[in-house]
Amino acid sequence: MTKIQTARIAALMVLAALLGAGVQAMAAENTMTIAIGDRAGFGTDPTLGSKAFPDIGGIKFHHYYTHWEPLITYDNRSNIIPWLAESYEVSDDHKTITFHLRKGITFADGKSLNASVLKFNFDRKLTYGSVKIGRDQKWPIYIYYDHSEAVDEYTLKLYFTQGWLDILRDFISNSGDGYFIHPEDVDPTWDIQGKLKPEKRFNGLGPYYVDENESIPDQKVVLKRRHSWRDDYDFHKPNLDQIVLSLIKDPQVAAMSLEKGEVDYICRNWNVPLDLLPALEKNPTVSIKTAPDCRMYYLATAYWKEPFNGTEGILLRKAICYALNRTELVEGALNGYAQPATDAMFLSPLRADSPECCHKGYGYDLDKAKKLLVEAGWKDTDGDGILDKNGKSLKDLDFVITTSSDLLWQKDLAQVVQSQLKEIGIDVRIRMLEWGAYSDTAYDGDYDIKMSYNYGASNSAILELKSFNLEGTAYNPWTNLKGAPINMYINQNKTLATILETAEIADSKEEQEESLCQACNILYEEAGIIPLVYEMQYAVMNSKVKGFQFGVSKYFYYTDLVEVCWIE
């Protein structure tokens, strides 16, 4: 009997060990480690701007999991969808947004979300917490915000002094919508200028909280799952029990950590550089997901000076547009992680708010390119293969790109462009600058050609096109560097800015689209910019990660909803 009991005890111990190992394995399977490149701290208030409140304000990465629950947001095609709001509507004059809230939503400590709580948050953010940066950036949401009203427990109205058609898109992009705190969590309570109590800094609407015992400031943040309103609604329910945010600033180190199994997923905001993807493709433990994107890379020319100014400058720009084999750019410089931008001058057809009239561009046609150059008066008079006119040559045109670590592929892209332009007698000299110098050079206009990009679905179509007329935008408040160049492009008769102003304050969708068509037609007829490629969305992760779906863009990387993935 003693031997039998001993054997049973031994068997039970083995079974317990196996069960324990199984539990550990399940725990490991429900944990995802995400490599991020910045913002790994965990002590800030997401309703205050970091510029005005550098010590306590700003959005840290963990806020996307502890707090980010917007009223409305985008799906992966940039269509607007409800989130905290069950429904919403905009008044006929586009000055008022009404949100009808879902019932039963609570903060982590059980306090209810209602219209009064949201009113407090919008008054706090739009008139106190983030208003400086919003107005510095000339965001309409901040400039025109008047007041809010809690009509009843589940109905909130936001009022603006000026109406505009893109009010919902600008609301999603620029209001800080989605990061809410409870008014009783500040001191004094319900004071929009109150200070968030330290013990309440993780009391958000999101499905996770920060475990400070396991977290290390500026190294890693450990997030643990909690019960949330998403579970009750069966709405994008999280599958991960734990998320570890690991600070790895060098993207190459992040890629190596992924291959070693130390990281499960690399956040797309600090993505693996394109030049590393071919090697990662060969690794069976790594999975690379892709999806089309509407972010365009293009060439901007110094339209205000020779050789790109005037009527002959338009012919030269058109010639360059026809001379570029964009399929070769995709395959030769971007390893296939892009699409040729031959169907638009700036607004991708993938955009939900891009009218059909904006979807025309320039294809590859060397004969047309050469004819346009002849029409502009350019000839090779000295037989050196480079075109010249009136004693001036298209030799050594200053082509500026950046050496930023995540944009190293720009060098390859620039070299293919350089080679293709040589075929029609244009010689460009590539000048690579670190990001700060590139930003200053772009702003000062000290170039002939520069490589640039738009923001795709991150901005409304109107806001994107307004980037051609950025008078007074002297710096980027996020980096304290100079921002985009003043007046990236103004057409010959100076109507582009006026047309875009008309589009912004249009009273109807038809009127707005008519103005958009006029703006796009100017860019097409005068080759205001030279489109190259659309960047491909890509996400790099361990092959065991399942259920990943792309959000709207890399700039809205939190709409990827990584927490709903699982590890197989």
Side-chain angles (χ1 to χ4, degrees):
M1 288 295 295
T2 301
K3 290 182 179 180
I4 292 173
Q5 289 175 343
T6 301
R8 285 176 176 172
I9 292 171
L12 288 171
M13 290 177 67
V14 170
L15 179 59
L18 290 172
L19 288 172
V23 169
Q24 289 180 350
M26 288 177 65
E29 288 174 355
N30 287 313
T31 297
M32 177 184 285
T33 300
I34 302 176
I36 62 174
D38 198 3
R39 296 184 285 127
F42 49 82
T44 55
D45 181 346
T47 64
L48 301 179
S50 57
K51 187 174 179 65
F53 304 92
D55 297 328
I56 58 174
I59 298 170
K60 291 292 184 179
F61 198 89
H62 74 269
H63 285 129
Y64 299 125
Y65 300 96
T66 59
H67 285 74
W68 186 77
E69 301 288 353
L71 285 165
I72 56 175
T73 187
Y74 289 131
D75 66 10
N76 59 8
R77 291 299 302 271
S78 76
N79 295 300
I80 298 171
I81 58 173
W83 197 269
L84 286 179
E86 195 170 50
S87 62
Y88 56 91
E89 61 258 5
V90 177
S91 62
D92 292 340
D93 61 4
H94 308 289
K95 291 184 179 181
T96 305
I97 311 175
T98 302
F99 296 102
H100 304 281
L101 308 182
R102 300 179 192 272
K103 297 178 176 63
I105 297 176
T106 61
F107 286 83
D109 63 359
K111 290 195 285 281
S112 296
L113 177 75
N114 56 41
S116 296
V117 170
L118 289 174
K119 171 180 167 54
F120 163 86
N121 276 271
F122 283 111
D123 288 345
R124 178 177 173 86
K125 287 186 284 189
L126 298 182
T127 65
Y128 169 67
S130 304
V131 65
K132 178 172 176 51
I133 191 172
R135 289 181 177 170
D136 284 348
Q137 287 292 85
K138 299 182 179 180
W139 290 335
I141 288 292
Y142 288 87
I143 295 172
Y144 301 136
Y145 180 68
D146 188 14
H147 69 283
S148 59
E149 177 189 6
V151 178
D152 56 41
E153 189 173 3
Y154 298 108
T155 306
L156 174 76
K157 287 181 177 285
L158 300 181
Y159 296 91
F160 299 85
T161 59
Q162 170 70 51
W164 68 104
L165 281 175
D166 285 323
I167 188 170
L168 288 178
R169 293 187 178 278
D170 288 351
F171 175 82
I172 293 172
S173 300
N174 299 319
S175 71
D177 172 45
Y179 306 99
F180 302 117
I181 61 176
H182 198 279
E184 293 178 4
D185 292 350
V186 300
D187 188 17
T189 60
W190 287 90
D191 184 341
I192 64 169
Q193 297 186 25
K195 186 175 181 180
L196 183 64
K197 299 173 185 176
E199 68 272 16
K200 292 294 186 178
R201 62 182 178 272
F202 306 133
N203 185 34
L205 299 170
Y208 292 86
Y209 68 92
V210 174
D211 187 332
E212 291 189 77
N213 292 326
E214 296 187 25
S215 301
I216 303 174
D218 298 322
Q219 292 186 33
K220 71 174 183 177
V221 177
V222 178
L223 296 156
K224 300 288 182 68
R225 185 181 173 186
R226 67 172 183 85
H227 181 82
S228 73
W229 69 273
R230 286 206 224 166
D231 297 310
D232 296 331
Y233 270 92
D234 196 15
F235 183 81
H236 299 287
K237 291 175 64 172
N239 287 309
L240 295 172
D241 294 323
Q242 180 172 271
I243 297 173
V244 179
L245 306 175
S246 179
L247 181 64
I248 306 177
K249 293 189 176 182
D250 188 328
Q252 296 197 26
V253 174
M256 288 189 290
S257 298
L258 178 69
E259 292 193 283
K260 291 178 183 177
E262 299 168 347
V263 165
D264 299 302
Y265 172 74
I266 298 175
C267 178
R268 294 201 293 137
N269 197 47
W270 300 279
N271 220 340
V272 173
L274 277 169
D275 56 294
L276 296 184
L277 295 183
L280 291 173
E281 288 172 354
K282 300 174 183 177
N283 189 331
T285 68
V286 174
S287 176
I288 303 175
K289 309 292 185 183
T290 61
D293 199 0
C294 52
R295 186 189 193 198
M296 177 189 287
Y297 278 84
Y298 59 87
L299 303 180
T301 63
Y303 64 88
W304 58 88
K305 65 180 181 180
E306 293 183 345
F308 294 108
N309 62 332
T311 303
E312 293 177 354
I314 292 175
L315 296 174
L316 175 58
R317 296 195 299 261
K318 285 184 176 181
I320 293 176
C321 281
Y322 281 120
L324 295 174
N325 184 335
R326 293 168 179 82
T327 300
E328 185 178 291
L329 293 178
V330 169
E331 296 173 352
L334 293 145
N335 303 314
Y337 286 91
Q339 292 180 322
T342 55
D343 54 6
M345 293 305 293
F346 202 63
L347 299 177
S348 164
L350 290 178
R351 296 183 60 102
D353 60 347
S354 178
E356 181 67 29
C357 59
C358 288
H359 304 159
K360 56 182 179 180
Y362 288 88
Y364 177 53
D365 193 326
L366 281 180
D367 289 337
K368 280 189 178 181
K370 292 174 181 177
K371 287 178 181 178
L372 287 167
L373 290 169
V374 172
E375 186 180 344
W378 294 101
K379 298 179 181 178
D380 180 10
T381 61
D382 56 10
D384 66 350
I386 306 302
L387 301 178
D388 56 85
K389 178 176 62 173
N390 300 329
K392 296 181 179 179
S393 172
L394 294 179
K395 184 177 178 63
D396 287 335
L397 295 182
D398 185 25
F399 183 10
V400 174
I401 65 173
T402 178
T403 58
S404 180
S405 61
D406 60 331
L407 298 173
L408 293 178
W409 54 267
Q410 282 196 8
K411 179 181 178 182
D412 295 331
L413 187 61
Q415 288 176 337
V416 179
V417 169
Q418 181 186 52
S419 173
Q420 292 182 356
L421 293 184
K422 202 72 173 285
E423 293 184 36
I424 59 170
I426 299 175
D427 178 55
V428 297
R429 172 176 47 85
I430 299 171
R431 180 160 59 113
M432 297 185 293
L433 302 172
E434 57 86 22
W435 182 252
Y438 171 84
S439 178
D440 288 345
T441 298
Y443 179 78
D444 293 334
D446 183 21
Y447 60 88
D448 292 316
I449 302 172
K450 77 176 180 73
M451 192 175 297
S452 191
Y453 55 88
N454 63 21
Y455 287 91
S458 299
N459 291 326
S460 66
I462 295 293
L463 200 58
E464 282 287 77
L465 287 170
K466 282 184 68 178
S467 66
F468 290 108
N469 302 107
L470 293 174
E471 294 95 336
T473 304
Y475 70 96
N476 182 335
W478 305 105
T479 62
N480 292 322
L481 295 174
K482 287 182 178 179
I486 293 177
N487 290 332
M488 183 173 71
Y489 177 71
I490 292 182
N491 61 305
Q492 304 287 77
N493 55 13
K494 311 290 185 181
T495 58
L496 184 60
T498 303
I499 289 170
L500 293 174
E501 288 172 5
T502 301
E504 186 172 37
I505 61 173
D507 291 327
S508 67
K509 197 67 178 175
E510 292 74 20
E511 183 183 350
Q512 185 186 67
E513 286 198 1
E514 182 180 351
S515 296
L516 281 173
C517 289
Q518 293 175 18
C520 289
N521 191 59
I522 287 173
L523 293 177
Y524 176 76
E525 292 295 339
E526 299 186 5
I529 61 168
I530 300 167
L532 297 176
V533 298
Y534 297 114
E535 182 183 48
M536 183 78 76
Q537 291 200 74
Y538 63 91
V540 186
M541 63 198 75
N542 189 297
S543 298
K544 293 182 179 179
V545 175
K546 305 300 178 183
F548 177 84
Q549 294 185 1
F550 283 99
V552 66
S553 77
K554 66 180 288 185
Y555 292 102
F556 282 75
Y557 47 90
Y558 38 90
T559 62
D560 292 345
L561 300 179
V562 177
E563 67 271 19
V564 304
C565 295
W566 65 93
I567 297 180
E568 194 174 71

